Amino acid sequence: MQAPPSKSYTHRAILAAGYSSGALVHDPLVSADTRATMAAVDRFGGDVDVGDGTVDVTGFGGRPEVPADVIDCENSGTTMRLVAACAALADGSTVLTGDRSLRSRPQGPLLDAIEQLGGRAESTRANGQAPLVVSGPVDGGTVSIPGDVSSQFVSALLMAGAVTEEGVEVELETQLKSAPYVDITIEVLSAFGVDATHTEDGFAVAGGQSYEATDGEYHVPGDFSSISYLLSAGALAAAEDDELVVTSAFPSAQGDTRIVDVLERMGADVDWDRENGQLTVRRSELSGVEVDVGDTPDLLPTIAAVGAAADGDTRIVDCEHVRYKETDRVSAMAEELEKMGASVTEEHDVLTVHGGETELAGATVDGRGDHRIVMALAVAGLVADGTTTIRGAEHVDVSFPDFFDALYGLGADVRHEERTLGE
């Protein structure tokens, strides 16, 4: 099974190409979320042409125009945060909004950071949530923000800061959560000729830099958040004496590569050929472990689902920030797995799945409008006794549009709206 392209890298590559004079992005993830970022680049004066396996971006050269209309970020928190900082470079005001879920997510630290840089940034409801109005232009400077809400604030400031006059230095007031995502940003910036660095107190990017991709092209790697569902499916449900091979699984800065280590610690038979980008997994007897998701929040739904099928307790710690995603993923996984017969203990910063006390059974569950909840519940459904019906399954379009086709192709019995996939 070919791993889908990385959503995190695609967002950053599309916007980096927008900051440049233009670039051809190969192997992008074209999904609901990344289309929102493409649309934002268009609004800022660029042009995005989606081809067969490529996205051809004509950029705005580091000087975004004031959009003629509102920028709708749909359900994409990454889009809203990266684009809000970009909007602070425009000589005028930009209005950003999104769907109901996105309008409930925290943006206050980024708004405050933009004001520290001399711009104006307001929540129309004065609650730190979208709709947002951002006015510039900013020239750069030093900002102080918390690190325990979202690493996307840091990524947004670094991407915008490179084309300011003074550059931007980000001082963190608290420990940074989801730190590998900033490393992804720095990796993409480097591929576009922009230098950003770690500092003693946070991060910094010099001003006056120009975005330019090597040979005008960028290749998006495979997505380990999506790979986590495929690997888990193989470890739980591969046929006896068979194996699942996931391709395009090359090493990168993605924190979610930790899923390989997590499954190995649980007892999964996994081999990773890093040079050729191939992960091979076989059906295994799994045991619960403790996993810290401070840097890998997107893995919580996957680990919780696997833990429900493992022997013993799977304890997922340092997960408070996972409550501020498309939905409260901690409560969502606890409540939906309980519908399937799982024994779960939910605390504010800890989720414990008691696999030894669980007999998973098919049930009707709610994906909560969250692509990661849907896919994790589908993994649990592979080993539950009976049929599992997932409401809102269409939301996989956010990051893995072909997810259910992939499961069907691997041999799962999957039906969608009374139609068997493949018919």
Side-chain angles (χ1 to χ4, degrees), residues 87-113:
L89 300 169
D91 190 8
S93 297
T94 300
V95 180
L96 301 99
T97 191
D99 67 9
R100 181 176 180 179
S101 171
L102 186 54
R103 294 196 307 272
S104 70
R105 297 177 65 179
Q107 315 294 345
L110 182 57
L111 302 182
D112 183 57

Side-chain angles (χ1 to χ4, degrees), residues 8 178 180-181 223-232 253-266 279 289-308 314-319 321-323 325-326 329-330 333 337 351 353 370-373 375-377 379:
S8 298
S178 307
Y181 288 97
D223 185 78
F224 266 85
S225 301
S226 296
I227 287 171
S228 75
Y229 310 111
L230 299 177
L231 276 188
S232 299
Q254 296 174 74
D256 286 353
T257 58
R258 282 196 61 208
I259 189 60
V260 179
D261 172 67
V262 171
L263 288 174
E264 285 180 334
R265 288 198 292 121
M266 296 181 82
L279 273 163
V289 294
E290 179 170 298
V291 183
D292 186 320
V293 294
D295 284 336
T296 54
D298 287 345
L299 290 184
L300 181 140
T302 314
I303 295 167
V306 174
T314 295
R315 192 167 182 266
I316 307 172
V317 303
D318 198 9
C319 63
H321 58 311
V322 190
R323 296 184 181 277
K325 297 292 184 177
E326 283 84 336
R329 288 177 176 164
V330 181
M333 287 306 298
L337 286 175
L351 180 66
V353 183
D370 188 322
H371 55 128
R372 303 212 181 280
I373 302 298
M375 290 186 279
L377 293 173
V379 169

Side-chain angles (χ1 to χ4, degrees), residues 139-188:
D139 295 324
T142 299
V143 301
S144 178
I145 63 171
D148 57 356
V149 179
S150 174
S151 66
Q152 291 170 352
F153 302 150
V154 178
S155 292
L157 293 166
L158 292 179
M159 293 193 76
V163 296
T164 62
E165 183 177 339
E166 301 174 21
V168 170
E169 183 170 350
V170 180
E171 296 178 351
L172 297 173
E173 299 167 357
T174 60
Q175 182 178 355
L176 182 65
K177 299 286 188 181
S178 307
Y181 288 97
V182 180
D183 292 333
I184 288 173
T185 301
I186 292 174
E187 184 180 316
V188 173

